[in-house]
Amino acid sequence: MASDQSKPIVKGDGARAASDKRPFWGRIAYSGAYQGISDFIFKSKRRQFLLLVSFPIFWVLFAHLGPIVQMFWVSFLDAYPPSAGQEPQLTLDNWAVFFSKSIFTTPFLRTLAFASVLTFATLILIYPVAYFLAKHVKRQNQMIMLLILLIPFWVGEIVRTYAIMILLGNNGALNLLLKALGLIDRPIPFMYTGFSLSLGIVYLTSLYMLMPLYSALEKIPPNYHEAAADLGAGPWRRFWKVTLPLSLEGVTSGCTLVFLISTGYYATPVLLGGPSTTVFAETIAGFFHVAGNEWPTGAAFSCIMLITALALTGVFNKFMGSLRKGNVK
C-alpha cells in the first residue's frame, strides 16, 4: 500500500505566504530596500533636513526663479526664438529701446503712478473693513464674515472684470441707479476711463490688502486699548497711537502685495481701460504678439518693470521698517 508523502514544510514558508497577501504598497514598505533607504535617511537629522527642504528649494528655483532667469537671458539676445543655423548674439539694444521713445516711457510711468495711487486707495478703503472684522465682530463669527467677503474671489480675474463692466456699462446698475434717483438724464460713460480701470483694480486687489490687515489687527490685545482709554486717550488718539502703529506690519505687507500685483495686471486694463489708460503690461504684450525678433525687447521691458517694482517696494519696506522701529522705541 502506497503511503501518503506529505510536502516537507520549510521554515519561513508561512511568513512568506502571509506577506504575499499584503497589498502592493505594503510589500514595498516591508521590503529590505525600502527599510534600508528609510534607515539611511531618517537616522540622520541632517539628511532629514535636506530631504525636507529639497522640494521647496526645487520648486522655488525651477518654477519661480527659473522663468525669471530665462527672461533675463532672452533680454540680452538679438533674436529669439533663434532661427535654424543662426547663433544668437548678446546685445544691449533691447534695453536701450525703452529709453529711445516716450511711447514706451509714458505707459511705464503711468503704471507706476496708477499702482501707487491705487495701493493707497485700497488701503484707505479696506482698513476700516479689516478693523471692523477684527475688533467689532465676535470671534466665532469672524470666519463666516471672511468667507462672505471671499465669495467674489472664488472666480477668476476675467469673470470679476466682466462683472465690473456690467456694473459700469451704459445700462449697468450704477447708471440705472443714478437715473432712478433723478440725478442724470443720460448714461454717464464710465467705461474705458481711468475711473473704470481704477475701480476694477481696487476691486481685484482688495483681498490682498484685507488678509494682512486683518491678521495684524486681530493680534492687537484688547487691553492695550483699554489701558489707553484709562489714561484718557479718546478714540482717535487710541487709533493713531495704538492701533495704527501696531498694525504697520499688515499695512506694509498689504501695500507691497497690492502694488506688485497692480503693476502686472494685463487683462483688466485691456477690458476696462482706454487709449489714455494704456499700462506698461499692454506695451510688453505687444512685443510678444507680433512676429519677428521682438521677444527679446519684450523680455527687456519686463525686466525693467520687475527691477523697478522690486526696488520701489524695497525702499517702501525699508521706510516702513524704520517707522515701526521708531514706534517701538
Side-chain angles (χ1 to χ4, degrees):
M1 187 171 96
S3 59
D4 294 339
Q5 295 181 354
S6 59
K7 185 178 179 180
I9 299 176
V10 181
K11 186 177 180 180
D13 283 353
R16 189 179 300 110
S19 66
D20 291 337
K21 295 180 180 179
R22 295 194 189 105
F24 173 74
W25 293 110
R27 294 198 298 272
I28 291 179
Y30 283 92
S31 64
Y34 181 86
Q35 294 292 335
I37 294 173
S38 299
D39 293 341
F40 175 77
I41 294 176
F42 295 107
K43 281 188 177 181
S44 171
K45 291 185 177 180
R46 180 179 179 83
R47 286 192 288 267
Q48 290 182 36
F49 174 76
L50 292 176
L51 178 65
L52 181 65
V53 301
S54 60
F55 295 103
I57 291 177
F58 176 84
W59 177 260
V60 170
L61 290 179
F62 290 93
H64 289 273
L65 295 182
I68 296 176
V69 172
Q70 178 70 9
M71 182 178 65
F72 269 91
W73 170 250
V74 171
S75 70
F76 292 105
L77 302 179
D78 63 345
Y80 190 88
S83 303
Q86 181 182 0
E87 187 70 22
Q89 302 297 320
L90 296 179
T91 179
L92 292 174
D93 293 343
N94 303 318
W95 294 70
V97 171
F98 171 77
F99 303 97
S100 63
K101 297 179 181 179
S102 62
I103 193 175
F104 301 135
T105 55
T106 299
F108 176 77
L109 297 175
R110 181 187 295 125
T111 299
L112 295 179
F114 257 123
S116 301
V117 172
L118 295 181
T119 298
F120 181 74
T122 306
L123 173 64
I124 297 301
L125 291 172
I126 300 301
Y127 196 102
V129 178
Y131 181 83
F132 175 80
L133 183 63
K135 295 302 179 183
H136 292 281
V137 176
K138 294 181 179 179
R139 184 173 294 273
Q140 59 268 27
N141 296 331
Q142 288 181 3
M143 185 57 64
I144 297 176
M145 292 292 295
L146 274 175
L147 290 175
I148 294 174
L149 292 173
L150 294 179
I151 286 176
F153 297 91
W154 294 355
V155 297
E157 172 191 345
I158 300 297
V159 177
R160 283 177 284 155
T161 302
Y162 275 114
I164 294 294
M165 295 175 68
I166 295 173
L167 175 68
L168 299 180
N170 290 338
N171 294 318
L174 183 56
N175 271 310
L176 293 177
L177 176 62
L178 294 175
K179 187 179 291 187
L181 295 175
L183 299 177
I184 59 174
D185 296 326
R186 62 182 62 183
I188 300 176
F190 291 116
M191 285 296 300
Y192 314 117
T193 62
F195 172 76
S196 61
L197 178 58
S198 301
L199 182 62
I201 292 180
V202 169
Y203 171 58
L204 292 175
T205 57
S206 58
L207 172 66
Y208 304 102
M209 185 67 75
L210 173 64
M211 299 309 294
L213 287 177
Y214 165 76
S215 178
L217 290 167
E218 198 270 337
K219 293 178 182 177
I220 300 176
N223 54 7
Y224 283 17
H225 298 87
E226 296 172 0
D230 291 341
L231 293 174
W236 280 106
R237 188 169 181 80
R238 292 199 299 269
F239 172 78
W240 287 108
K241 295 297 184 179
V242 179
T243 304
L244 184 60
L246 293 178
S247 64
L248 285 180
E249 184 176 354
V251 172
T252 304
S253 301
C255 290
T256 300
L257 287 173
V258 171
F259 179 81
L260 290 176
I261 293 172
S262 299
T263 57
Y265 270 130
Y266 169 70
T268 300
V270 169
L271 294 173
L272 295 179
S276 62
T277 60
T278 302
V279 295
F280 200 56
E282 298 177 74
T283 303
I284 294 173
F287 291 104
F288 291 98
H289 289 167
V290 298
N293 296 323
E294 298 294 340
W295 283 23
T297 306
F301 280 34
S302 301
C303 295
I304 291 172
M305 174 54 75
L306 176 62
I307 293 172
T308 305
L310 291 178
L312 291 176
T313 54
V315 172
F316 174 74
N317 277 267
K318 186 72 174 177
F319 169 76
M320 295 298 289
S322 62
L323 194 61
R324 290 199 301 271
K325 290 179 181 178
N327 283 316
V328 171
K329 292 179 182 179

